[in-house]
């Protein structure tokens, strides 16, 4: 099938008061997620966009002594293939699971 590709560009910046280490610089990055291009996938994309707008998609974590943006608690498929083990498809339960989290 065809895929919807979601691209998140997170800029490097300084953490806010609500973050674990306020005022610390952190490293951004480009993050990609994939959804099936069907009605269920499109509905999920709208929910994921809302979650992103509410600051729920990413978190800042300490990694090897530097702060960096990482995925938060909402599961995203970062590969179009490779199955569940590689965070990709096929995974028949994914849309149901992510919608339950959202």
């Amino acid at each position: 099938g065809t895929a919807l590709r979601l691209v998140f560009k997170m800029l490097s910046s300084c953490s806010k008061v609500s973050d674990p280490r306020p005022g610390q610089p952190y490293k951004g990055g480009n993050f990609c997620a994939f959804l099936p291009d069907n009605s269920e996938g499109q509905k999920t994309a709208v929910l994921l966009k809302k979650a992103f707008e509410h600051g729920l998609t990413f978190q800042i974590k300490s990694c090897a002594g530097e702060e960096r943006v990482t995925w938060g608690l909402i599961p995203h498929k970062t590969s179009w293939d490779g199955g569940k083990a590689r965070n990709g498809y096929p995974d028949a339960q994914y849309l149901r699971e992510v919608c339950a989290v959202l």
Side-chain angles (χ1 to χ4, degrees):
T2 56
L4 295 172
R5 185 167 175 249
L6 311 177
V7 179
F8 302 93
K9 292 183 187 295
M10 301 300 293
L11 303 175
S12 298
S13 185
C14 275
S15 48
K16 299 191 271 316
V17 175
S18 58
D19 291 316
R21 296 179 61 200
Q24 286 291 318
Y26 63 83
K27 206 174 196 159
N30 291 346
F31 297 82
C32 261
F34 296 89
L35 290 165
D37 191 2
N38 58 26
S39 62
E40 212 183 337
Q42 289 163 8
K43 279 184 205 149
T44 305
V46 170
L47 293 175
L48 288 174
K49 183 176 189 283
K50 282 187 180 149
F52 176 74
E53 287 166 353
H54 285 89
L56 303 173
T57 306
F58 295 98
Q59 57 192 356
I60 298 168
K61 275 194 175 160
S62 233
C63 186
E66 70 175 0
E67 308 288 307
R68 57 175 50 223
V69 175
T70 62
W71 291 107
L73 299 176
I74 300 167
H76 287 74
K77 288 294 181 187
T78 55
S79 170
W80 183 238
D81 52 29
K84 204 166 182 162
R86 285 199 44 231
N87 217 9
Y89 295 95
D91 178 354
Q93 300 304 311
Y94 172 67
L95 289 176
R96 194 171 303 131
E97 284 171 6
V98 74
C99 284
V101 172
L102 290 165

